[in-house]
Amino acid sequence: MKRVTLIKGDGIGPEITDSVMKIINAAGVAIDWDIQTAGADLIETEGTPLPQRVLDSVKQNKIALKSPVTTPIGKGFRSVNVQLRKELDLYANLRPCYNLPNVKTRYDKVDIVVVRENTEDLYAGIERQVDENTAESIKIITRKASERIAKFAFDYAVKNNRKEVCVVTKANICKLSDGLFLECARKIAQQYPQIKFREILVDNCCMQLVQNPNQFDVLLLPNLYGDIVSDLCAGLIGGLGIAQGANIGENYAVFEPVHGSAPDIAGQDKANPTAMLMSAIEMLNYIGENEAGRRIRLALFDTLDAGIKTVDLGGNASCTEFTQAIVDRLVVLEK
Ligand code: NAI
């Protein structure tokens, strides 16, 4: 039986995790879950929001499913999510973004894959208070990280029959840092003549995404722009409740939704588990449980098609009701 680390997170994390575990169980996949906790609550008991045992668990199992963990804003500890990605060298953040059935959006046929560099840029966390009125953050871009994420994007494009990779930077202003990211993307692009290569500045990219998203295929971005643009892309397909993601490295993979811990709806049974479920489907595919992944996707799409939707998608189903509707369909599919 495959052992998978499960990080339950906080905020809506436990609700959507329970939902997804229930659905995976109903699909008949036997997984030995290694349940781990992380986040602010552990500071008092274990002295850190990301105990070594969590990292050891992922290192041992090589694969994890993770729900969101809250990061204090403007103060407090460094993001558990950023630390985890850095410690495990999960250098590629992969966020496919496409329309789901019966989810009303401004545009049809959106099908964009965001490939975000996951280990450096302003997320290196190198900041200092220069004096009372001045603070500075250092943006780190290296040739090694830029070339490997560009290679990841092009390899992904080849394997998944994509036509174009578009690199997104602000190299007109950040001439050295984004300039280096762009230079690396240009170099790697030459090794993939079968994939079209395009360059765009991030501000124009945002405008183009809002006006005409169908022109984009695979987007390749440094960490910060990738974080922001992937939320924009989530907005194009119906919101964060349905936006899936994965963090991939040479040795480990951590699957998690794009969204955060949604403290505004936590504990109210209102969360949409779809983003977490779609991330889990990718996890199942990754461990070779493709048939179960296929059936879960079918049951999910059929549930949405039947108009059973959570509040964020304009419906009135609770997280529990939505989960049960998927489970019911899985049971029928099984027969
Ligand atoms: P958020 O993604 O948690 O929420 C933004 C908005 O989307 C809220 O209105 C929320 O209710 C809604 N939303 C998000 N997920 C939803 C779902 N599954 N179903 C229905 N509605 C959903 O972003 P926010 O509020 O900026 O961040 C909250 C906390 O999450 C912060 O501490 C932040 O650092 C953390 N965070 C953690 C991430 C992770 O663990 N990977 C990623 C992003 C943020």
Side-chain angles (χ1 to χ4, degrees):
M1 194 190 305
K2 184 77 193 160
R3 191 162 163 83
V4 175
T5 301
L6 181 80
I7 303 170
K8 271 196 157 185
D10 52 30
I12 59 169
E15 299 163 56
I16 56 173
T17 307
D18 289 349
S19 155
V20 167
M21 283 173 80
K22 205 170 163 196
I23 293 166
I24 292 180
N25 275 340
V29 193
I31 290 182
D32 177 14
W33 296 109
D34 179 1
I35 299 179
Q36 296 288 335
T37 46
D41 287 353
L42 301 182
I43 295 179
E44 216 167 274
T45 47
E46 301 191 46
T48 166
L50 181 60
Q52 186 60 36
R53 61 171 167 77
V54 182
L55 293 167
D56 290 345
S57 166
V58 184
K59 282 185 182 165
Q60 197 171 25
N61 300 324
K62 309 227 179 300
I63 184 148
L65 179 63
K66 174 185 167 296
S67 81
V69 178
T70 304
T71 309
I73 295 171
K75 59 179 169 43
F77 59 85
R78 190 165 176 225
S79 161
V80 166
N81 314 304
V82 171
Q83 270 188 71
L84 194 69
R85 293 165 190 169
K86 184 83 188 156
E87 290 285 331
L88 299 171
D89 200 22
L90 301 164
Y91 68 88
N93 193 326
L94 184 64
R95 297 177 157 182
C97 203
Y98 51 89
N99 294 99
L100 297 189
N102 201 21
V103 176
K104 194 171 165 285
T105 54
R106 204 169 288 269
Y107 299 100
D108 293 329
K109 298 191 181 133
V110 173
D111 186 7
I112 299 169
V113 178
V114 173
V115 176
R116 163 188 173 193
E117 201 290 323
N118 223 7
T119 60
E120 53 183 32
D121 195 348
L122 280 161
Y123 291 67
I126 308 170
E127 290 194 302
R128 76 183 179 109
Q129 194 75 44
V130 179
D131 60 41
E132 201 192 333
N133 301 310
T134 315
E136 63 183 26
S137 302
I138 297 182
K139 174 173 165 122
I140 310 272
I141 301 283
T142 65
R143 186 177 300 280
K144 180 178 171 233
S146 304
E147 284 190 1
R148 74 177 172 173
I149 194 66
K151 191 165 179 326
F152 181 95
F154 278 96
D155 282 341
Y156 179 91
V158 171
K159 268 191 225 128
N160 293 279
N161 215 7
R162 295 281 175 162
K163 304 278 174 288
E164 180 190 270
V165 171
C166 178
V167 63
V168 186
T169 67
K170 192 71 186 167
N172 54 335
I173 303 299
C174 300
K175 292 181 197 291
L176 296 183
S177 52
D178 282 13
L180 178 57
F181 192 86
L182 177 58
E183 180 197 320
C184 292
R186 283 178 181 159
K187 180 182 153 195
I188 299 296
Q190 286 176 2
Q191 300 166 14
Y192 297 82
Q194 71 275 42
I195 305 291
K196 228 179 118 204
F197 177 59
R198 177 177 169 194
E199 301 173 10
I200 194 166
L201 295 176
V202 65
D203 36 0
N204 181 25
C205 178
C206 291
M207 190 275 289
Q208 300 277 345
L209 275 166
V210 171
Q211 281 202 322
N212 176 17
N214 302 101
Q215 66 180 294
F216 292 107
D217 191 345
V218 176
L219 295 177
L220 164 64
L221 311 95
N223 208 340
L224 179 64
Y225 310 143
D227 191 359
I228 297 167
V229 168
S230 53
D231 270 34
L232 193 162
C233 289
L236 292 172
I237 57 160
L240 284 164
I242 59 175
Q244 62 174 313
N247 304 285
I248 315 261
E250 291 300 334
N251 302 310
Y252 316 111
V254 176
F255 294 81
E256 65 173 338
V258 172
H259 64 73
S261 55
D264 53 337
I265 56 165
Q268 299 171 34
D269 202 16
K270 279 188 188 160
N272 186 348
T274 302
M276 178 83 171
L277 186 59
M278 302 230 329
S279 308
I281 292 172
E282 290 308 322
M283 184 274 288
L284 290 174
N285 292 340
Y286 195 84
I287 62 172
E289 292 282 358
N290 305 58
E291 176 50 25
R294 190 189 66 81
R295 279 190 292 115
I296 295 174
R297 188 186 301 273
L298 262 176
L300 166 68
F301 285 8
D302 193 57
T303 302
L304 292 169
D305 248 338
I308 303 169
K309 292 187 269 186
T310 44
V311 178
D312 58 311
L313 299 182
N316 54 17
S318 65
C319 180
T320 309
E321 288 162 347
F322 185 71
T323 304
Q324 192 55 49
I326 297 172
V327 168
D328 292 345
R329 281 162 176 77
L330 273 171
V331 173
V332 172
L333 279 170
E334 194 78 10
K335 283 183 182 155

